[in-house]
Amino acid sequence: MDEHAETLRAVEHELTALLRRGRAVSWEVAREVHQNLEPNAYGLLLWLRRYDSVRLTDLASRLRIGKGTLSRQIRGLEALGLVRRTPDPTDRRASQLSLTEEGQQRFDAARAARMDHIRRVLDSWPAQDVAEFARLLDKFNNAWS
């Protein structure tokens, strides 16, 4: 068998394991933020936490999802009191999204627990390996889009 093909199968196997584990963690972390939060919404909160404020259209483009789909998800987060939508000062037809104070507090608490877990998993790795792992994940994610 071709060595490159076997290596790609190994990558696919490890990605599948990572994604399966990630889905389980997403359920746990979402529940830590709010008992009614959908697991996929944690990722939205992560992006909103990264930005102070972001236009709905820009976030939809970045996440590669439709504006309608994102708008429905945002409405759910607004109903939970985690996200606010305000008119864009440069274009009143557009919306700016940001986390509410409660959304920031809940997200930060859940993220701290998640980061502690990641820290424990990677604690025995040399710092150079952790940096290389982060670099390669970034490279992979950027190439995927």
Side-chain angles (χ1 to χ4, degrees), residues 27 29-39 80 82 106:
W27 277 101
V29 173
R31 295 296 177 253
E32 288 177 29
V33 174
H34 192 284
Q35 66 182 8
N36 296 325
L37 187 66
E38 292 292 324
L80 296 175
L82 303 174
R106 287 174 173 256

Side-chain angles (χ1 to χ4, degrees), residues 42-51 54 59 62-63:
Y42 179 82
L44 288 177
L45 296 177
L46 179 68
W47 281 101
L48 290 171
R49 187 64 172 115
R50 178 176 285 176
Y51 302 111
V54 63
L59 186 59
R62 175 70 176 131
L63 298 175

Side-chain angles (χ1 to χ4, degrees), residues 33-34 80-82 84 99-107:
V33 174
H34 192 284
L80 296 175
L82 303 174
R84 79 172 62 81
L99 293 178
T100 62
E101 187 174 324
E102 180 181 357
Q104 285 182 12
Q105 291 171 352
R106 287 174 173 256
F107 175 83

Side-chain angles (χ1 to χ4, degrees), residues 122-143:
L122 297 175
D123 193 43
S124 65
W125 291 28
Q128 183 177 346
D129 287 358
V130 175
E132 181 68 359
F133 184 55
R135 186 189 70 75
L136 291 172
L137 282 173
D138 178 67
K139 183 177 180 177
F140 179 80
N141 282 325
N142 285 320

Side-chain angles (χ1 to χ4, degrees), residues 110-123:
R111 187 179 202 191
R114 188 174 196 178
M115 291 302 298
D116 283 344
H117 182 74
I118 292 169
R119 191 174 291 108
R120 283 192 307 275
V121 168
L122 297 175
D123 193 43

